[in-house]
Amino acid sequence: MNFLRGVMGGPSAGPQPSGAETIQKLCDRVASSTLLDDRRDAVRALKSLSKKYRLEVGIQAMEHLIHVLQTDRSDSEIIGYALDTLYNVISNDLEEEEQDDSEEENLPKQVDDLGSQFTEIFIKQQENVTLLLTLVEEFDFHVRWPGVKLLTSLLKQQGPQVQQIILVSPMGVSRLMDLLADSREVIRNDGVLLLQQLTKSNAAIQKIVAFENAFERLLDIITEEGNSDGGIVVEDCLLLLQNLLKNNNSNQNFFKEGSYIQRMKPWFEVGDDNCGWSAQKVTNLHLMLQLVRVLVSPTNPPGATSSCQKAMFHCGLLQQLCTILMATGVPADILTETINTVSEVIRGCQMNQDYFASVNAPSNPPRPAIVVLLMSMVNERQPFVLRCAVLYCFQCFLYKNQKGQGEIVSTLLPSTIDGNSVSAGQLLCGGLFSTDSLSNWCAAVALAHALQENATLKEQLLRVQLATSIGNPPVSLLQQCTNILSQGDKIDRRGSKVQTRVGLLMLLCTWLSNCSIAVTHFLHNPANIPFLTGQIAENLGEEEQLVQGLCALLLGISIYYNDNSLENYRKEKLKQLIEKRIGRENFIEKLGFISKHELYSRAAQKPQPSFSSPDHMMFDHEFTKLVKELEGVISKAIYKSSEEDKKEEEVKKTLEQHDNIVTHYKKVIREQDQELEELKQRVNTLTSQNEQLQATVTQQVSQIQQHKDQYNLLKVQLGKDTQHHNSHSDTFQMNGIQVEEVSKLKEELEEWKNKHELLQGQLREKDSVIEKLKSSQLELGTTEQSSQTSKSGGLEHNNELQKELEMLRTQVQLQSAEISKLQLENQKLQVTNTSADPVLGDSGATAANSSELEGRLQQEIKELKSEVKALSEEKESLKQHLDSSSSTVAILQDEKSKLQQEVAESKKEQDDLLVLLADQDQKLSALKIKLKDLGVPVEDEDDIESGDQGDEDEDGDEEEQD
């Protein structure tokens, strides 16, 4: 321990050991000590020396520290010290304050080399990185946090190599994704930094991280931290999201399909009070806007960009961005980035462009947002970056938007000019002819985009007239542009004069390309061609070479798109003029100045105009495409001889004639196709009608056969030859049967009444017998026998009544079934009668068209008429019989209910009789007992029963006789 006290600065005698010696002794202690406490103290001492003696610790102790990580996993404290020591050795973060100024100047390069070298040593054995991934999984703070920092430092030093090791490691990326779910913010935040380094320039890892639910977790962290009002953590999350989405089409599609675009809308909800934005909020919002631009970048596949643009419109994100655009108090850099973001969200998307055209600024009176933005673009007091952003926004608004182009050009036409309000066209003209060269260039490029790939608007723009001064006649816009171009050196301008001329030449080249009428108007001014040839022929400085190239391009366009309508400026004469005044080779050389210019190459890279300074603003992206398209064509046209031109003209005329002939024949063929289609439709209609008629005939034949079968079936059911007689007699027979059943029921009812009276008489007799029993035993025995006989007889009568009731119910049910059957037959007859009439009408129409079926149909019609007549008569008779049968059924139902009521009453009386009989039996038994007590002899029950049996036999004989 004395050794450790000396290392840690305690008092000691004798000379002090050097740093290298101390580190060597500590390494030996780590390697040889058997006690964990000693090793832990030695590693702690190495950690304290690792910042000051970084090289020595890295060289001597790295192997021992890695061994500690492998063997002492159970002790989290020593593992934490070892990881911290390795981090201090590998990391390039300079935290020492004791370095001299002279040393600090040479130190950074050495430090970078040291960090890279130590990292290379560490990752040489891939097991070390795998071990580190395992340690990062530990939940202990003292192990996990230094492990995350060390792995981040390794990725900073040797990113691709460490990425590859983690990629091939089982579940390597998934382990690191768990850091985002750690409840300790320090580890979570450092985990975000680790994933930033891990996902740099590696599409495979980016996809794995994205599909490990990274978007959901990062957006949750941003929301928890307060969106744009959050701190540095929000910035780190946004940087990680950019790594995952930038130039990764798969992740972009996954982000869109996962509905994460909708979760970006709350980021841009700014309040009315926009004063005093913090620097962190500005940074966060700037990164959020850049993230939106990543999703809709013009370099993305068109389909993916379009779907993201539509999603941003439907979720309200575009509307929110336009709100920021028109808000007050927004910082300039945020406003500029917002304009760029809105530009790319609406670029090439008609729905978004239409919405943007409808946005108004909150002014009095309200003005369109486009007009307000153009005011900023042509205002020389606005920042240069903001003016470039507005120009880009205007270009994106007009990109593939013919409707928007027409609206802009219409504000310049005489019939639509409104003197009470400022329009976009007026602002563009004002900027085009102002004394600020940057405004000239921006207005010229903006107007050129309004004409891009739209020949109709190029012709309409020729109608625009400008009033230059009071008293002078108005001149056309084309003429004014050429006048300013030719007088550019004489006008005092702020900025580069070359910039103004380049802008006007780009506008004229775009205007005249692919528009012969505009070329004719341009050539009609006799001063234009001499000016162009003079500019091309002169030997000017390096700055003017760009103007010479554009003049050569404009002259070449005037030749290539010349329709030879002006005799003095035919193609051949213009080429002769070039050959005499300039020379073909010189002309081609001057034309090549454009594509060889450095600013041309920069502008051709991406659509957004990004210039380091106003002097570099020379070329537009869309114009570079036009130059690339026309340069070779114009070179070929210049070298063509007059004979070749004549041949070409003849070929063109022949082609035009051929085209006219082809057009004529196409028209004839189109008309014939239309006639053929009409005839085909008529044939199809007639075919369908014929099929319908045939189907109708077949249906009618089948219906007739069905009617015959139904008629024959009715005959069989009625069972007689004559329909009317049989139906009447059959119905009367049915009614007769019903009357007989009613009479039988009445007789049976009379019988039940008689039986009931008989029972009542028997009851009275039994009462008298009971009275007699009181006086004598013999009378009592006789009375008991008669009462029992009455009781059994009453039960038998009751059973017979129930059987008769059941029979009556079955008869009534049979009667109702026959009635329903008659009703069903009546309905069938009605349907047959009603369906016969339209069939007859259709068959008549069919017979008119088909002569073969006419005879058969007429005969069948006659038969049907007779059958219908007979059926109608039969139907009437059936209706009458049904009415009579229904009345009979009602009567039967009434009688049935009365019978049921009477049966219920008789049953009740029988129950009362049984009760009386029971009472009488009890009285008889009581009297017998009294008589026995008094000493009177009483006959036994067996004797009485035998006597009663004899009486019952006699009663039975009497009933049989009855």
Side-chain angles (χ1 to χ4, degrees), residues 31 100 251 332 349 375 395 422 431 681 763 815 819 902 943:
D100 296 331
N251 284 2
C349 182
M375 287 180 177
Q395 292 173 353
V422 179
Q681 290 178 359
L763 285 173
Q815 194 73 17
I819 291 169
E902 291 177 356
D943 298 336

Side-chain angles (χ1 to χ4, degrees), residues 106-126:
N106 301 322
L107 195 59
K109 186 175 181 180
Q110 298 175 2
V111 167
D112 292 341
D113 294 339
L114 279 178
S116 179
Q117 290 172 8
F118 285 138
T119 301
E120 191 172 351
I121 294 171
F122 185 84
I123 67 174
K124 191 173 183 180
Q125 298 294 328
Q126 295 187 7

Side-chain angles (χ1 to χ4, degrees), residues 385-400:
V385 181
L386 178 63
R387 298 174 74 179
C388 291
V390 173
L391 176 62
Y392 184 46
C393 184
F394 191 74
Q395 292 173 353
C396 292
F397 170 68
L398 297 178
Y399 182 71
K400 293 184 179 180

Side-chain angles (χ1 to χ4, degrees), residues 729-934:
S729 62
D730 196 1
T731 310
F732 286 147
Q733 185 176 2
M734 292 172 63
N735 289 334
I737 292 171
Q738 293 173 357
V739 173
E740 291 176 359
E741 290 177 353
V742 171
S743 63
K744 287 181 180 180
L745 290 173
K746 287 182 178 179
E747 291 176 359
E748 289 176 357
L749 183 63
E750 292 295 331
E751 291 178 0
W752 287 116
K753 287 181 179 179
N754 294 331
K755 289 179 181 180
H756 184 65
E757 291 177 356
L758 182 62
L759 286 172
Q760 287 181 348
Q762 289 177 356
L763 285 173
R764 286 193 295 271
E765 290 177 358
K766 288 176 181 177
D767 290 337
S768 63
V769 170
I770 291 169
E771 292 296 330
K772 290 178 182 181
L773 283 172
K774 292 180 181 179
S775 60
S776 66
Q777 180 182 1
L778 182 62
E779 291 175 356
L780 286 170
T782 306
T783 306
E784 183 180 359
Q785 182 72 23
S786 64
S787 64
Q788 290 177 357
T789 305
S790 304
K791 180 178 178 182
S792 61
L795 292 172
E796 291 176 358
H797 287 304
N798 189 16
N799 294 331
E800 290 176 357
L801 280 171
Q802 289 180 352
K803 291 180 181 178
E804 292 294 335
L805 273 174
E806 293 296 330
M807 292 175 60
L808 184 61
R809 287 174 181 172
T810 55
Q811 289 176 0
V812 171
Q813 290 176 356
L814 291 172
Q815 194 73 17
S816 61
E818 291 179 358
I819 291 169
S820 62
K821 184 177 180 182
L822 287 173
Q823 290 177 350
L824 182 61
E825 291 177 356
N826 186 19
Q827 291 177 357
K828 288 182 178 180
L829 289 173
Q830 289 178 353
V831 172
T832 305
N833 187 19
T834 54
S835 63
D837 292 338
V839 169
L840 291 174
D842 295 339
S843 64
T846 308
N849 295 328
S850 178
S851 59
E852 296 178 359
L853 297 174
E854 186 174 1
R856 281 191 301 168
L857 290 176
Q858 287 180 355
Q859 185 178 357
E860 290 176 354
I861 288 167
K862 290 179 181 179
E863 293 177 359
L864 279 174
K865 285 183 178 179
S866 61
E867 290 176 0
V868 169
K869 185 176 180 181
L871 288 172
S872 62
E873 293 176 356
E874 186 176 351
K875 183 178 72 173
E876 294 295 330
S877 63
L878 286 174
K879 282 184 178 179
Q880 295 176 359
H881 296 319
L882 282 174
D883 294 338
S884 62
S885 63
S886 61
S887 62
T888 304
V889 169
I891 294 169
L892 287 174
Q893 287 179 349
D894 294 338
E895 292 179 353
K896 175 185 172 184
S897 61
K898 290 179 181 179
L899 286 174
Q900 289 177 348
Q901 187 177 0
E902 291 177 356
V903 169
E905 291 176 356
S906 65
K907 187 176 180 181
K908 185 177 180 183
E909 290 177 356
Q910 287 178 2
D911 294 337
D912 295 339
L913 180 61
L914 291 173
V915 172
L916 291 173
L917 288 173
D919 293 339
Q920 288 175 1
D921 290 337
Q922 291 178 357
K923 290 179 181 179
L924 285 172
S925 62
L927 288 172
K928 284 180 182 180
I929 295 169
K930 288 181 180 181
L931 288 173
K932 288 181 179 180
D933 293 338
L934 294 172

Side-chain angles (χ1 to χ4, degrees), residues 325 653 921:
L325 197 65
K653 289 180 181 179
D921 290 337

Side-chain angles (χ1 to χ4, degrees), residues 467-676:
T468 55
S469 59
I470 300 175
N472 294 328
V475 297
S476 66
L477 178 61
L478 181 64
Q479 181 64 42
Q480 185 65 15
C481 290
T482 55
N483 291 341
I484 294 175
L485 188 62
S486 60
Q487 300 174 4
D489 296 337
K490 301 177 182 178
I491 300 175
D492 186 16
R493 297 183 182 278
R494 290 181 296 275
S496 173
K497 296 181 180 179
V498 174
Q499 192 175 50
T500 300
R501 300 172 72 183
V502 168
L504 290 172
L505 286 168
M506 285 196 298
L507 172 61
L508 291 173
C509 290
T510 305
W511 194 347
L512 269 60
S513 63
N514 203 21
C515 184
S516 300
I517 299 176
V519 171
T520 303
H521 279 71
F522 179 77
L523 296 176
H524 195 71
N525 186 352
N528 290 338
I529 296 300
F531 168 73
L532 294 179
T533 55
Q535 288 289 320
I536 298 170
E538 289 183 6
N539 292 322
L540 302 175
E542 186 176 352
E543 292 183 357
E544 297 291 337
Q545 286 182 355
L546 191 55
V547 177
Q548 287 183 322
L550 291 171
C551 289
L553 178 65
L554 183 58
L555 184 55
I557 291 173
S558 302
I559 295 173
Y560 184 73
Y561 292 104
N562 191 349
D563 59 358
N564 294 326
S565 58
L566 295 177
E567 184 63 29
N568 294 331
Y569 296 102
R570 297 173 64 86
K571 287 185 179 181
E572 184 60 31
K573 292 186 176 181
L574 290 176
K575 286 194 285 189
Q576 292 175 0
L577 182 63
I578 289 174
E579 189 173 359
K580 292 179 181 178
R581 296 283 304 274
I582 304 170
R584 293 179 181 178
E585 290 77 7
N586 191 22
F587 179 85
I588 299 300
E589 182 184 358
K590 298 292 178 68
L591 183 62
F593 285 166
I594 302 174
S595 57
K596 294 176 182 178
H597 202 281
E598 180 184 1
L599 298 177
Y600 173 89
S601 301
R602 292 182 186 176
Q605 292 176 359
K606 56 182 180 179
Q608 182 182 359
S610 56
F611 307 102
S612 57
S613 66
D615 296 335
H616 293 163
M617 184 181 273
M618 288 294 176
F619 285 108
D620 173 58
H621 179 74
E622 293 296 328
F623 181 74
T624 59
K625 295 180 180 179
L626 181 65
V627 172
K628 189 176 180 180
E629 177 185 350
L630 294 178
E631 187 176 5
V633 176
I634 292 173
S635 300
K636 291 180 182 180
I638 294 298
Y639 279 102
K640 285 182 181 178
S641 62
S642 58
E643 295 179 357
E644 291 177 346
D645 284 339
K646 289 179 181 179
K647 289 180 181 180
E648 187 177 353
E649 289 178 1
E650 291 177 358
V651 170
K652 284 185 179 180
K653 289 180 181 179
T654 305
L655 289 174
E656 288 177 359
Q657 292 176 358
H658 177 58
D659 291 340
N660 293 332
I661 294 171
V662 171
T663 305
H664 173 69
Y665 279 116
K666 283 183 179 179
K667 184 178 180 181
V668 173
I669 292 171
R670 194 177 296 110
E671 293 175 355
Q672 290 178 350
D673 286 340
Q674 291 177 354
E675 292 177 358
L676 185 61

